[in-house]
Amino acid sequence: EVQLVESGGGLVQPGGSLRVSCAASGFTFSSYWMSWVRQAPGKGLEWVANIKEDGTERYYVDSVRGRFTISRDNDKKSLFLEMNNLRAEDTAVYSCARVAMYFFDSDTFPEAFDIWGQGTMVTVSS
Amino acid sequence: SFDLTQPPSVSVSPGQTATITCSGEKLGDRYVCWYQQKPGQSPVEVIYQDNKRPSGIPERLSGSNSGNTATLTISGTQVMDEGDYYCQVWDGNTAVFGGGTKLTVL
């Protein structure tokens, strides 16, 4: 069964740090771009970060760039999000998602988030 | 950054057709995906590349995209279709979601 399971969420004070993880199973993890998407309580979905299959390319939403770092360990089939200098507005459920790609003109492009984890809650509060 | 605009809510009677729109500048030049999210659950991809359905998604869900507007259409809407729907596009290698539309079937 294709599955993504997040862990590591919790309560952290403003300015603090936290690392959340995502364990993948049921598919060839090293063949896929992966992403983190968050959802603040009662709010919509917000894309946070992407990482290429081999980790050589990473992209971030402006609001977290310089504070968050996405990384992966393909041998352990795991995705990570290191979050530093956390703010109250970072409070959200953080979900990892697999990125399906499509081929066009001898290149590949991101298509959709085809598999999602259940998410892990991160609360930033004093 | 690229912006996507969705109506906050749409209501429909059971058996009728629900239409959820997603607007953005020259949106028709991009592929649009749609996700359904039910309360307390993770999102599920229901449409990709404007109008393609993943395996297991009912045929009564369909999508289109032209000009500045993409549309998710649910024919013969059922109570089980209630939930939040999000459109999404890629801006290079970064993703953008619409604000979401709450579909109520009553």
Side-chain angles (χ1 to χ4, degrees), chain A residues 33 35 37 39 43-47 50 57 59-60 62 95 99 102 110-119, chain B residues 1 31 33 35 37 41-45 47-49 52 84 86 88 90 92-100:
Chain A
W33 282 70
S35 290
V37 178
Q39 187 168 32
K43 302 297 184 181
L45 302 174
E46 181 184 34
W47 171 79
N50 276 350
E57 294 181 31
Y59 301 88
Y60 301 91
D62 288 347
S95 298
V99 181
Y102 71 96
E111 180 178 83
F113 300 109
D114 64 343
I115 303 294
W116 295 69
Q118 85 290 346
Chain B
S1 62
Y31 278 140
C33 307
Y35 303 88
Q37 186 179 34
Q41 298 184 18
S42 299
V44 173
E45 177 192 11
I47 294 288
Y48 66 99
Q49 287 191 13
K52 297 180 180 179
D84 296 324
Y86 297 88
Q88 178 254 314
W90 291 93
N93 287 313
T94 64
V96 179
F97 286 97

